[in-house]
Amino acid sequence: LPRTIRITIAYDGTDFAGWQFQTGQRTVQAELEAALKRITGEDIRAVASGRTDSGVHAYGQVVGFRTESALSAYVFGRALAAELPRDLVIVDAREASEDFHAIRDVITKRYRYVINDGPVPNVFARAYCWQVRRRLDAERMHRAAQAWVGQHDFSSFEASGSPRVSAVRTVTEFAVHRREPDEPDAIWFEVEADGFLYNMVRTMVGTLIEIGRGVRPEEWTAEVLASANRRVAGITVPPQGLFLMRVHYADPVADLNKPVVLG
Amino acid sequence: LPRTIRITIAYDGTDFAGWQFQTGQRTVQAELEAALKRITGEDIRAVASGRTDSGVHAYGQVVGFRTESALSAYVFGRALAAELPRDLVIVDAREASEDFHAIRDVITKRYRYVINDGPVPNVFARAYCWQVRRRLDAERMHRAAQAWVGQHDFSSFEASGSPRVSAVRTVTEFAVHRREPDEPDAIWFEVEADGFLYNMVRTMVGTLIEIGRGVRPEEWTAEVLASANRRVAGITVPPQGLFLMRVHYADPVADLNKPVVLG
């Protein structure tokens, strides 16, 4: 009887050409499906909550797949822990309802973008943040970002050519804060929404930095949103600062703040 | 007139075969001296506060060198910022008294060792901590480490064959703590002393983990110290968890908690 397994994975995006399978490229999907093939002998199709681009990281990407195997979810987890490469780890594995679908069933997703604006580059975070030379005003960016909370048409922040039916999304939280006192040169941008358009977080951050630098007024976020025009918004900031933090599902079993870890 | 310049550098030790020049190897000293040659045309000998081994990192390594160049320390700093590779950054550059010597003049040095004892490997810290599978008791290790504070013969923690005249050193602080609430799976071991024997920090941490696991009693730290026998102590833990944090000099100008950064 085919079953559905739901796993949570973390990966360092540095050496991956993103999530999605591409011939001749090292992708997360290809590594995961190859490991599942070694474990079960089956050609398993892994479905993630959404793609991540080349260089983008994940703390809590969720993946569902169907299998004929009789292995328990726990044994799947242990086997994947042994089979996966060092930059791709399994955090959680569990049985899902048979009709669980990792894309369709998403309630909200949470992303973090990390900027380091210290005068000296952080030599240990080169692959995990975007380094800017000019100091940014985090509180100003936080206030400005509140204009985006709620249900809006986010066309201004969608990469051109994206084939979406609707650009309306609901942002439930947008928090910007400097990591005082431990990392005073790091700024975290944390965004939660019921869905994200292509490059939406990176373009929102690219818009906020103009406000953080003082080049634009705080009210500019509302103007950019109202324009529904990608050319009005800021740049798309680079991928290595972006982390998919968590995906929240309606399934009450799957809805845990902290995934059950494989001890 | 020859002058002495004192710089502070940070490096990610992952891709270096340690500090010291070795033919055919990529070392921090070789990269730095090559950059100084490009800047000044001189064959400059760079003297660090101490060697770091292959894989060991530095937040605040101090280096002194003599030059005939008329460039100001500030200009040296800017030029090095431009010339150095991405995993080696300059944090500070200043004039030193002509007889400043980066090894001889050390008052204290501070190291940090980082262990991750979470159930899932931290995919983003693979090169910056030692990952252990069994949970450790940080408070127990902290209490046990206090037996080492003060002036003692640390022969038990010196790698064999090291040609020291005396193994007596003064440890001024040894703090072990779990990084709650932000990183509950990370433990920091912070040690300050007037000098360190070869592999001393890594062997001290290797001794403490046996106490943190409950395999040895808290009093074992005093026993190992009193034995003055390397074979009694624990393992030498791997290099990638070790960071040279700061070097403190008598020179009042150089004695800053936070180095002046190159803006």
Side-chain angles (χ1 to χ4, degrees):
Chain A
L1 222 72
R3 299 142 59 220
T4 303
I5 305 281
R6 173 186 179 281
I7 62 173
T8 303
I9 55 176
Y11 44 87
D12 179 335
T14 309
D15 295 328
F16 287 107
W19 160 262
Q20 182 150 307
F21 184 84
Q22 293 174 68
T23 307
Q25 301 274 357
R26 182 174 187 256
T27 70
V28 179
Q29 185 179 24
E31 289 281 0
L32 184 59
E33 291 180 352
L36 290 169
K37 172 90 176 180
R38 290 194 296 276
I39 293 166
T40 63
E42 299 172 72
D43 287 310
I44 287 176
R45 172 81 194 288
V47 177
S49 72
R51 303 182 204 177
T52 52
D53 279 338
S54 184
V56 172
H57 313 290
Y59 267 100
Q61 171 70 288
V62 175
V63 177
F65 59 87
R66 288 169 68 79
T67 176
E68 306 273 343
S69 156
L71 297 175
S72 72
Y74 180 80
V75 171
F76 257 112
R78 299 298 299 214
L80 284 168
E83 288 288 337
L84 292 173
R86 265 168 52 86
D87 52 356
L88 169 55
V89 300
I90 178 144
V91 177
D92 177 74
R94 62 183 69 205
E95 307 284 335
S97 58
E98 210 198 323
D99 62 345
F100 171 77
H101 191 282
I103 299 172
R104 187 198 58 209
D105 295 349
V106 169
I107 301 288
T108 59
K109 294 167 85 168
R110 190 175 187 87
Y111 280 95
R112 177 183 298 161
Y113 195 86
V114 182
I115 284 183
N116 185 303
D117 65 349
V120 174
N122 180 337
V123 77
F124 305 110
R126 285 166 293 144
Y128 311 114
C129 71
W130 182 39
Q131 175 75 36
V132 302
R133 296 298 301 245
R134 198 155 346 157
R135 200 72 172 174
L136 300 170
D137 184 334
E139 291 177 23
R140 198 161 191 266
M141 293 191 286
H142 177 80
R143 289 191 301 269
Q146 303 318 304
W148 296 333
V149 175
Q151 189 179 62
H152 303 286
D153 180 317
F154 287 98
S155 301
S156 305
F157 306 101
E158 181 169 29
S160 57
S162 311
R164 300 278 176 185
V165 175
S166 162
V168 174
R169 297 290 182 277
T170 300
V171 170
T172 47
E173 188 184 347
F174 203 128
V176 183
H177 70 283
R178 190 173 286 284
R179 296 270 299 148
E180 307 271 16
D182 278 357
E183 296 184 88
D185 293 336
I187 300 173
W188 282 5
F189 300 75
E190 298 239 345
V191 199
E192 191 159 297
D194 62 351
F196 290 89
L197 307 169
Y198 187 57
N199 277 349
M200 179 168 153
V201 177
R202 289 164 58 189
T203 312
M204 286 172 138
V205 173
T207 302
L208 287 176
I209 59 170
E210 300 201 27
I211 294 164
R213 278 176 182 164
V215 174
R216 301 277 190 172
E218 283 181 41
E219 299 70 32
W220 191 52
T221 42
E223 276 176 52
V224 173
L225 182 70
S227 76
N229 181 349
R230 172 65 187 88
R231 280 168 299 179
V232 174
I235 63 163
T236 302
V237 293
Q240 77 275 7
L242 188 60
F243 296 78
L244 173 57
M245 298 304 293
R246 192 163 83 84
V247 190
H248 171 97
Y249 290 94
D251 173 3
V253 177
D255 176 23
L256 298 171
N257 271 305
K258 193 165 173 64
V260 172
V261 288
L262 297 159
Chain B
L1 223 72
R3 297 144 59 221
T4 302
I5 306 281
R6 174 186 179 281
I7 63 173
T8 303
I9 56 176
Y11 46 87
D12 179 335
T14 309
D15 296 329
F16 287 106
W19 159 262
Q20 182 149 308
F21 185 84
Q22 293 174 69
T23 307
Q25 301 275 358
R26 181 174 189 257
T27 69
V28 178
Q29 185 180 23
E31 289 280 359
L32 183 59
E33 291 181 353
L36 290 169
K37 172 91 176 180
R38 290 194 297 277
I39 293 165
T40 62
E42 299 172 73
D43 288 310
I44 287 177
R45 172 83 195 286
V47 177
S49 71
R51 304 181 202 177
T52 53
D53 279 338
S54 184
V56 172
H57 313 289
Y59 266 100
Q61 171 71 287
V62 175
V63 177
F65 59 86
R66 288 170 71 80
T67 176
E68 306 273 343
S69 157
L71 297 175
S72 72
Y74 180 80
V75 170
F76 257 111
R78 301 296 299 211
L80 283 168
E83 288 288 338
L84 291 173
R86 266 168 49 87
D87 51 358
L88 168 56
V89 301
I90 177 143
V91 176
D92 178 74
R94 61 183 68 206
E95 305 284 336
S97 58
E98 210 197 323
D99 62 345
F100 171 77
H101 191 281
I103 300 172
R104 188 198 57 210
D105 296 350
V106 169
I107 302 287
T108 60
K109 295 166 84 169
R110 191 177 185 86
Y111 280 95
R112 176 184 298 159
Y113 195 86
V114 181
I115 285 183
N116 186 302
D117 65 348
V120 174
N122 180 338
V123 78
F124 305 110
R126 285 167 292 144
Y128 311 114
C129 70
W130 183 39
Q131 174 76 36
V132 302
R133 296 298 300 249
R134 197 152 350 152
R135 200 72 172 175
L136 300 170
D137 183 335
E139 291 177 24
R140 198 160 191 266
M141 293 190 287
H142 177 79
R143 289 192 302 269
Q146 303 319 305
W148 296 332
V149 175
Q151 189 179 60
H152 303 285
D153 179 317
F154 286 99
S155 301
S156 305
F157 307 101
E158 180 169 29
S160 57
S162 310
R164 299 276 176 189
V165 174
S166 163
V168 173
R169 296 291 182 276
T170 300
V171 170
T172 45
E173 189 186 347
F174 203 128
V176 182
H177 70 282
R178 190 173 285 285
R179 297 270 298 147
E180 309 270 17
D182 278 358
E183 296 185 87
D185 293 335
I187 299 173
W188 282 4
F189 301 74
E190 297 239 346
V191 199
E192 192 159 295
D194 62 351
F196 290 89
L197 306 169
Y198 186 55
N199 277 350
M200 179 167 153
V201 178
R202 289 163 59 189
T203 312
M204 286 173 139
V205 173
T207 302
L208 287 176
I209 58 170
E210 299 202 29
I211 295 164
R213 279 175 180 166
V215 173
R216 300 277 191 173
E218 283 180 41
E219 298 69 32
W220 192 52
T221 41
E223 275 177 52
V224 173
L225 182 70
S227 76
N229 180 352
R230 172 66 188 84
R231 279 169 298 179
V232 174
I235 63 164
T236 302
V237 294
Q240 77 276 5
L242 188 61
F243 297 77
L244 173 57
M245 298 305 294
R246 191 163 85 83
V247 190
H248 171 94
Y249 289 95
D251 174 4
V253 177
D255 177 23
L256 298 171
N257 271 305
K258 195 167 172 60
V260 173
V261 288
L262 297 160

